[in-house]
Structure formats: C-alpha cells, structure tokens
C-alpha cells in the first residue's frame, strides 16, 4: 500500500478534512433515518427474500449523495443503493452504506449505522483500494466513530464525551469474544454455520449483532476481541476498516491478502496469529466438504 496522501501538499486529500466531512454527513443522515422514519416502512428485497431494502435506505443515500456532491463535487461515489456510482477526478471516492444493519432497522433493534468513508483506489476491486478517512454513526445509541489515516480513531458519545479507541490486547484464543455475520443465501449460510461450528469450541463466545460497520467499530473499541465475515461489500467495510487500523488493529482477507468479499478478518495484533490460523483452518475444512 502507498503512503498516506500528504496533507500539506494536497488539500484535496487532507485526511482530517475528509474525516470531518464524513462525520458531519453521517451524523446528519443518522438523524434523518431516526427522525423521519415512517410508521410503516416500504420494504423490497434484493438478492434473496430476506435481503431487504427499505425506502429509507434509498432516501438516506440520496441525502448523503447530495451533501457530498455539494462539498466535494469532483470526487467519485459508490453506494449500496441505486443510482450511486460516479467516477471522480480527484482520486478520492466516497464509499457509503446509508443503513448498515437494515434488518435491525426494519425490526427496530438499535444496532444499525450510517457508514461513510473516503477511499483512494478502486473500491470495486479487491486489493486495489484503501480507506483514508471514515465515520460510522449509530444514531440510536448516539455513537459517532471516526478515523483519519495517521491521525487515530475516536468515538464520541451522545453526551459529547470523546474516547480514543484501542483494540483489545488479548492473545489467548480461548478467551476471545468474536463477532461475525451471515449472508442471505442458504448455501452461503450453511457454509458460514459450518465454519462457526469449527471455531466455537476454541473461543470464549460469538456475538452476531447484524451490522458489519458496527462490528468493526466494536473491534476498534475493544468491546469484542475479533470480527470475521465472508460476503461483505466495500460499503459495509470501508469506514470500519480505517477505524480498526487507526485503533491499532489489523484488517485483512485470507492469508494476509487485502480484505474483500471472500473474507474480512479484524482483530488486535496479539490475537491475530492464533485467530487467523484457527479460522482459516476451519474455512479450509469447510471448503473441502462443500466443494
Ligand atoms: C449487513 C452487514 C452484516 C451482514 C448482513 C448484512 P446490510 O449489511 O452489515 O454484517 O451480516 O448480512 O449484509 O445489508 O444491512 O447493509
């Protein structure tokens, strides 16, 4: 990976400016999805009949696109919902999930987030991009997580209290609390369940909370020791990725590759070797049986 864009020489890539934009727009979109939520959500499905999208996902993304275009008219854009892909001219692309944890939003479970990141490279590739600033906002809990490359990661609570984020320093796999998630397709879920069954006896426990962006933020704040998932898109991953790395953790794919749809693994460096070894062994065993 290249070095971070130099802030002094290149104001277009000033990562602290990008971070503030991500925070401001994500906080505004977070207020919108809570305050303007209709009594009855309009719901449709995407890849399967449980992969839902609501009208608020699209409306929140439209709000975000408008706000970013006003502030950064020459940047690129990639969002989860319709009508969002735009090639830019600055080398910065905004990668957005307007509601990460849509099922939780639909059910009223307070574990969903607005995720906005500024990335360099092409976020529609694996290994060809990285985030340089990002924000994840849980609007119900009032938590605003953010980071900028080389400038650390923080969480600001509803009271306005700011906390510098540090990942867990746990090294004992048997004590690890691990977050994960599952896809929407039955064959993918069967494989994910088999991998989970493989590692569960060797860790403390798992948590399945329903938002990848928030799971990555929990790794960054040390409220879980590790997170892994197969099947993430760039918009699930981008902001949480830079928040974890700026909190002292590592985010990768299989065998130290770049994170992507095949696998995202995030944890502190003390736990990384035993966790990745156990996880990849379980994945290989399941790849053999599901082949
Ligand atoms: C969700 C992810 C979560 C995953 C869900 C879903 P969405 O994103 O954040 O980690 O397990 O299946 O993909 O669809 O709510 O934006």
């Amino acid at each position: 990976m290249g070095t971070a864009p130099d802030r002094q020489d290149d104001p277009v890539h000033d990562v602290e400016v990008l971070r503030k934009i991500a925070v401001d727009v994500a906080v505004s979109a977070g207020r919108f999805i809570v305050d303007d939520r209709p009594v009855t959500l309009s719901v449709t499905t995407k890849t399967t009949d449980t992969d839902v999208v609501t009208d608020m996902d699209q409306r929140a993304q439209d709000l975000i696109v408008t706000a970013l275009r006003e502030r950064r008219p020459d940047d690129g854009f990639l969002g989860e919902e319709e009508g969002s892909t735009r090639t830019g001219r600055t080398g910065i692309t905004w990668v957005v999930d307007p509601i990460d944890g849509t099922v939780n939003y639909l059910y009223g479970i307070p574990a969903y987030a607005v995720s906005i990141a500024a990335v360099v490279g092409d976020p529609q590739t694996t290994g060809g991009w990285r985030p340089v600033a990002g924000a994840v906002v849980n609007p119900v809990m009032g938590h605003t997580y953010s980071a900028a490359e080389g400038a650390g990661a923080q969480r600001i609570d509803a009271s306005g209290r700011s906390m510098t984020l540090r990942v867990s320093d746990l090294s004992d796999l048997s004590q690890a609390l691990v977050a994960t998630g599952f896809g929407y397709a039955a064959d993918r879920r069967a494989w994910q369940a088999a991998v989970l069954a493989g590692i569960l006896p060797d860790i403390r426990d798992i948590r399945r909370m329903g938002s990848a962006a928030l799971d990555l933020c929990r790794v960054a704040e040390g409220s879980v020791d590790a997170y892994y998932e197969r099947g993430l898109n760039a918009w699930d991953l981008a902001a949480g990725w830079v928040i974890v790395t700026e909190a002292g953790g590592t985010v990768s794919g299989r065998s130290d590759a770049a994170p992507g749809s095949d696998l995202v693994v995030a944890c502190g460096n003390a736990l990384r070797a035993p966790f990745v070894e156990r996880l990849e062994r379980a994945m290989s065993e399941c790849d053999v049986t599901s082949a």
Side-chain angles (χ1 to χ4, degrees), residues 75-251:
D75 290 353
F77 191 95
L78 174 67
E80 179 169 15
E81 311 312 338
E82 291 302 318
S84 60
T85 305
R86 185 181 80 234
T87 303
R89 294 182 297 185
T90 62
I92 294 290
T93 299
W94 293 92
V95 179
V96 172
D97 192 338
I99 304 178
D100 185 62
T102 298
V103 172
N104 287 346
Y105 182 69
L106 180 63
Y107 278 75
I109 298 169
Y112 49 86
V114 177
S115 179
I116 298 176
V119 312
V120 294
D122 180 357
Q124 300 192 76
T125 64
T126 296
W129 64 282
R130 78 178 195 276
V132 294
V136 175
V137 172
N138 178 335
V140 182
M141 302 300 289
H143 290 165
T144 300
Y145 299 87
S146 70
E149 192 171 62
Q154 68 174 180
R155 185 188 76 198
I156 298 177
D157 292 336
S159 66
R161 184 169 57 100
S162 175
M163 179 176 85
T164 298
L165 301 181
R166 287 306 294 174
V167 295
S168 158
D169 61 1
L170 180 76
S171 59
D172 181 350
L173 183 63
S174 68
Q175 297 296 310
L177 185 64
V178 177
T180 190
F182 308 112
Y184 295 110
D187 57 346
R188 166 66 56 82
R189 294 170 69 79
W191 183 90
Q192 290 169 322
V195 170
L196 179 60
I199 68 170
L200 195 56
D202 297 333
I203 61 176
R204 175 195 293 270
D205 204 348
I206 71 116
R207 293 291 182 269
R208 196 303 191 235
M209 294 175 275
S211 164
L214 288 179
D215 288 334
L216 287 161
C217 290
R218 290 185 184 102
V219 171
E221 69 185 6
S223 57
V224 295
D225 299 302
Y227 163 71
Y228 76 94
E229 187 163 351
R230 167 172 281 188
L232 295 191
N233 293 293
W235 44 77
D236 301 309
L237 165 64
W241 177 0
V242 65
I243 291 168
V244 169
T245 53
E246 287 300 318
T250 299
V251 181

Side-chain angles (χ1 to χ4, degrees), residues 28-49:
S28 174
R31 273 201 298 272
F32 169 73
I33 65 176
V34 170
D35 297 348
D36 289 49
R37 178 191 171 121
V39 172
T40 305
L41 285 167
S42 167
V43 182
T44 54
T45 57
K46 295 190 287 192
T47 59
T48 71
D49 61 5

